[in-house]
Amino acid sequence: MPRAVGACMTDVLDDMLGRVTIESSWYASIRGTSPWAFTSPAAPLARLIVVTSGECVITSKALDEPMTLIAGDCVIIQAGVSVALQDDLSTEPVSCDGLDFSDTRQA
């Protein structure tokens, strides 16, 4: 799958974010050490995933095939779509609902 880079990526992201209204936000920083994998169930809101270092694989019924994400990639998950993020396709994911995000921040 082609990757948008440089000015093109900025233009697309600026255009997209300029069209949305953000009413609230929540974030979690996840630093995984192999093996790791989790699912993020379908949610009523869109989600933004940004890979700041390393790489992972994202899978979803909405994708034709798994996609490898590398540092610098960002993906917007449409409302109503579930995904799995994994260090490797052989790692069995756990539900994100079962993870402890006790160090959370509200924005």
Side-chain angles (χ1 to χ4, degrees):
M1 176 172 280
R3 295 181 187 274
V5 294
C8 179
M9 180 59 169
T10 302
D11 293 345
V12 170
L13 189 57
D14 285 346
D15 184 50
M16 185 206 54
L17 291 177
R19 297 173 186 256
V20 299
T21 301
I22 299 174
E23 296 177 3
S24 67
S25 65
W26 180 88
Y27 77 91
S29 176
I30 300 168
R31 292 177 179 90
T33 302
S34 295
W36 66 269
F38 65 89
T39 59
S40 179
L45 304 171
R47 288 156 288 160
L48 173 67
I49 296 172
V50 178
V51 180
T52 58
S53 65
E55 65 180 53
C56 66
V57 179
I58 185 169
T59 58
S60 173
K61 291 180 181 177
L63 294 171
D64 292 334
E65 59 187 39
M67 181 187 308
T68 299
L69 303 176
I70 61 173
D73 285 347
C74 65
V75 177
I76 297 176
I77 308 301
Q78 182 178 347
V81 173
S82 62
V83 297
L85 292 172
Q86 301 163 262
D87 68 323
D88 184 87
L89 289 174
S90 64
T91 305
E92 186 66 30
V94 298
S95 174
C96 190
D97 290 339
L99 300 178
D100 178 17
F101 292 105
S102 57
D103 183 20
T104 61
R105 296 174 176 92
Q106 288 277 340

